[in-house]
Amino acid sequence: MGTTEFTPWASLAGGALIGCSAVLLLLVTGRIAGISGIVRRLFPPYGGSAPFEAAAFVSALVVSPFVWERLAGSPVQQTVTGSMSFAVTAGLLVGAGVFAARGCTSGHGVCGLARFSRRSIAATAVFMATAVATVYVVRHLVGGWPWA
Amino acid sequence: MGVMVGAIGALISGLLFGLGLILSGMANPAKVLDFLDVTGTWDPSLAFVMAGAIGVAAPGFWLVRRRSAPLTGPVFHVPPADAPVDRKLLVGAAVFGIGWGLAGFCPGPALVALALAAPGTLAFVAAMVAAIAAGALLQTRR
């Protein structure tokens, strides 16, 4: 696995769209566009967490590939792990980790860094480091992924 | 009224976020894993996504925070930028990074990929959402 094409312009432009999304959400609802926090708000306790807004955001995220296909006229390209045990393990680690850290790549990595939050700078440094280490171990020490 | 405006804002924001992730290539776990593979088939694209996002969000947030309140609701729900770093944050971030490195999915791209219904995505999202929901439930009980 590996060797995806380097896409500096598309990635910069896509990043700018994500930035616009985060600014819009803060302006309209006063909240951080952190996906793990938004998913968390779908579940109780609700105490002022605006679950209706969170559900609207998540729904739009889920339908976005179909909107993309209409606009771009091409399907979304992706390669996903085919191993169920691998996917479930990764999903549990991601879910538990972002719950404890109160944020993920969007809430800490984008929004937190953009507002110079100490916690987000620390969290981003740590998850980048463990993610790089994990990929190193799996790809270069263990010898690969169970791709479909 | 405020509830409707808030929901419409969240809907447009979610759509922009999803389209941004797809355009940037981040809805593809293979591209994320190549970013993380710094000693192998390194693809620096993810750094450009973060640069583009932070480049827009940093001045945008600064402008928005000059207001006393968002368009809907009385206050901003933003933690202080100098809140203390604690052990729970560091351990959580470390665990998240391991899961991210295993699958190449973090929460946003996984939800964008959900409806494309690859079996690995469905399993990942089910496990991730279950873990977040379990955390929320435990918090309720406490």
Side-chain angles (χ1 to χ4, degrees):
Chain A
M1 215 25 238
T3 64
T4 51
E5 190 194 347
F6 176 42
T7 54
W9 296 113
S11 290
L12 198 64
L17 272 183
I18 293 168
C20 291
S21 155
V23 174
L24 177 71
L25 195 72
L26 187 69
L27 173 66
V28 177
T29 71
R31 289 182 191 270
I32 292 292
I35 308 303
S36 44
I38 292 174
V39 171
R40 160 72 184 79
R41 284 165 52 205
L42 296 175
F43 301 98
Y46 291 124
S49 65
F52 189 50
E53 270 170 30
F57 188 99
V58 169
S59 312
L61 209 54
V62 170
V63 301
S64 64
F66 305 115
V67 176
W68 171 268
E69 284 178 19
R70 277 291 175 87
L71 293 176
S74 61
V76 177
Q77 300 279 327
Q78 59 167 205
T79 313
V80 181
T81 179
S83 157
M84 290 301 109
S85 55
F86 215 71
V88 168
T89 306
L92 290 174
L93 291 171
V94 168
V98 298
F99 185 85
R102 301 182 64 88
C104 53
T105 17
S106 47
H108 284 312
V110 171
C111 297
L113 294 192
R115 59 190 192 87
F116 310 104
S117 152
R118 263 167 55 185
R119 283 172 59 86
S120 295
I121 294 165
T124 306
V126 169
F127 69 64
M128 283 287 180
T130 58
V132 166
T134 302
V135 170
Y136 184 80
V137 169
V138 177
R139 278 197 179 172
H140 302 290
L141 298 183
V142 180
W145 261 271
W147 294 99
Chain B
M1 182 58 194
V3 175
M4 272 320 285
V5 175
I8 291 167
L11 204 65
I12 298 171
S13 175
L15 191 60
L16 284 175
F17 204 105
L19 294 176
L21 280 174
I22 295 168
L23 174 62
S24 66
M26 295 302 116
N28 183 3
K31 207 161 163 63
V32 174
L33 292 173
D34 271 353
F35 171 77
L36 297 171
D37 191 5
V38 288
T39 63
T41 52
W42 192 47
D43 174 353
S45 301
L46 191 148
F48 285 70
V49 182
M50 289 192 69
I54 293 169
V56 170
F61 283 178
W62 182 78
L63 280 172
V64 169
R65 290 305 299 275
R66 286 168 52 135
R67 299 174 52 94
S68 56
L71 297 181
T72 65
V75 288
F76 286 103
H77 303 269
V78 178
D82 59 353
V85 173
D86 54 27
R87 197 187 153 94
K88 194 176 164 198
L89 173 80
L90 298 175
V91 173
V95 170
F96 161 50
I98 295 170
W100 188 35
L102 284 177
F105 267 143
C106 51
L111 290 178
V112 167
L114 180 64
L116 301 173
T121 308
L122 298 178
F124 178 92
V125 171
M128 176 186 84
V129 172
I132 293 174
L137 193 73
L138 287 173
Q139 217 171 37
T140 320
R141 292 259 174 98
R142 207 168 284 150

